Amino acid sequence: MRQEDRNNSTSQLPAYLGIPTFMRCPESREFKGVDAAIMGLPFDSGATSYRTGARLGPRAIREASLLLWGYNRSFGIAPLDVLEVVDYGDVVVEPVSLQETEKLIYSEAGSVLSAGVKLISLGGDHSVTLPLLRAHREVFGPVGIVHFDAHVDTENDRVDHGTIFRHAAEEGLIDRKAWVQVGARGPVSYAEEVEDARELGARVFGMDECEDIGTSEVTRLIHETLGSQLVYVSLDIDVVDPAYAPGTGTPEVGGMTSREILKMVRGLRGLNMVGFDVVEVSPSYDHAGITSILAANLVFEFLSLLALGSPG
Ligand code: MN
Ligand code: MN
């Protein structure tokens, strides 16, 4: 959307005024001429391992997004000048049923994607990514994955926020040769947890390895692994250290700084990306909004990557 058409644009109205859709994009479910939609998934009943609260994530991220002034100086682009973006609003999830919520997310994500609109989803806990990947598979076939997370999320057979990538792999939603996991660390529930993820197909760059070889080299290896495959990017905010992102359900110490994750996300430029999510933002545990401000900025980087890849 051109700045002159955006009467309510973030750059024209003080951040404290008005009703917060994401970056003041119009709230709409009409997809004619639309390039991308922001969708909220306020569901946290899949967060069985520790504290809930990510249902409040989408609202906090939208509010923090009003601080995004519009121009990305790292890329030299104003994504909303290039892309038509709408805020879809939230999927009306069923808080007592993971299975019902999965169906709702799958169906509504599918309606967006089948209109040729790219989807950027705001969690919610990480369980929301499984139906999102099912919807993407319908349109794009099995996709490559870049998964930023302190956890490999292949932990066991139960369906919850810590097992989605095991199910995604087993359901054939993922191109297993184009699957990268970045940021795993901390104590695990059993010795072979990371080895099991690798056996399923994930190329895992744990936090120790990121530190040893450097995030630039990890970025190079991500591109080497993904090549020209269609890529879905799933970012669990707990990949970032709790010092920089305390507002999350299962924090693990020793993670990335906010600057490192921004750099890594920008480093995805050139990949053939078809979908994004940011999950596990849990505002009740946040301080001064630092986690939701970071999440909003990461969504802004996703939008910028989409804009850079768009013919417009
Ligand atoms: Mn995690
Ligand atoms: Mn996760």
Side-chain angles (χ1 to χ4, degrees):
M1 186 178 293
R2 301 246 143 238
Q3 288 292 348
E4 57 264 31
D5 300 328
R6 299 178 66 233
N7 293 329
N8 285 335
S9 96
T10 45
S11 56
Q12 291 176 12
L13 203 62
Y16 54 86
L17 278 177
I19 296 167
T21 58
F22 191 86
M23 288 186 77
R24 300 194 194 280
C25 289
E27 183 181 1
S28 172
R29 298 187 178 188
E30 297 294 325
F31 301 129
K32 198 172 179 323
V34 170
D35 299 299
I38 309 285
M39 177 184 273
L41 304 170
F43 179 79
D44 58 17
S45 303
T48 48
S49 50
Y50 192 32
R51 57 197 188 189
T52 54
R55 69 179 65 178
L56 300 172
R59 185 167 290 175
I61 296 169
R62 284 190 176 102
E63 182 163 358
S65 78
L66 302 189
L67 289 164
L68 299 164
W69 307 121
Y71 186 77
N72 187 325
R73 71 171 95 194
S74 300
F75 285 138
I77 194 170
L80 298 185
D81 282 0
V82 177
L83 302 171
E84 284 292 337
V85 182
V86 296
D87 191 326
Y88 176 93
D90 294 335
V91 172
V92 181
V93 300
E94 179 49 69
V96 296
S97 173
L98 176 61
Q99 286 71 29
E100 276 311 305
T101 294
E102 283 187 345
K103 285 182 205 154
L104 291 162
I105 294 172
Y106 171 75
S107 153
E108 295 196 37
S111 74
V112 175
L113 295 173
S114 60
V117 175
K118 297 280 196 320
L119 193 54
I120 298 179
S121 304
L122 315 176
D125 72 47
H126 218 156
S127 67
V128 303
T129 299
L130 186 56
L132 288 170
L133 286 173
R134 287 178 184 141
H136 281 78
R137 192 262 311 266
E138 289 299 310
V139 176
F140 300 107
V143 287
I145 296 285
V146 178
H147 169 212
F148 294 103
D149 201 321
H151 314 97
V152 289
D153 286 353
T154 53
E155 283 151 29
N156 56 51
D157 290 333
R158 195 171 63 183
V159 180
D160 65 34
H161 76 146
T163 61
I164 40 167
F165 286 101
R166 170 176 299 278
H167 295 286
E170 289 171 354
E171 288 181 29
L173 314 181
I174 294 180
D175 173 359
R176 299 194 197 200
K177 291 188 190 63
W179 174 10
V180 177
Q181 203 288 335
V182 182
R185 64 183 186 273
V188 288
S189 21
Y190 60 102
E192 301 81 16
E193 191 174 294
V194 171
E195 213 35 62
D196 282 358
R198 290 195 166 111
E199 225 156 79
L200 282 167
R203 189 169 184 185
V204 180
F205 298 99
M207 213 49 234
D208 289 341
E209 196 169 0
C210 290
E211 192 174 2
D212 289 344
I213 67 176
T215 49
S216 301
E217 175 64 3
V218 174
T219 294
R220 192 187 68 76
L221 293 167
I222 289 173
H223 282 266
E224 180 188 277
T225 309
L226 280 290
S228 59
Q229 171 62 296
L230 302 179
V231 178
Y232 184 93
V233 181
S234 185
L235 196 154
D236 183 330
I237 202 71
D238 70 28
V239 71
V240 177
D241 194 276
Y244 298 86
T248 195
T250 45
E252 300 286 351
V253 297
M256 290 188 199
T257 65
S258 44
R259 197 161 58 196
E260 281 169 337
I261 191 64
L262 285 166
K263 186 173 174 222
M264 287 217 76
V265 168
R266 289 180 191 135
L268 302 179
R269 180 178 189 176
L271 292 177
N272 200 353
M273 286 164 282
V274 296
F276 305 89
D277 64 51
V278 175
V279 297
E280 299 282 357
V281 173
S282 190
S284 310
Y285 300 99
D286 207 3
H287 301 281
I290 54 177
T291 312
S292 45
I293 291 168
L294 175 59
N297 273 274
L298 290 165
V299 174
F300 180 62
E301 297 298 332
F302 289 159
L303 281 169
S304 303
L305 290 167
L306 265 188
L308 288 164
S310 135

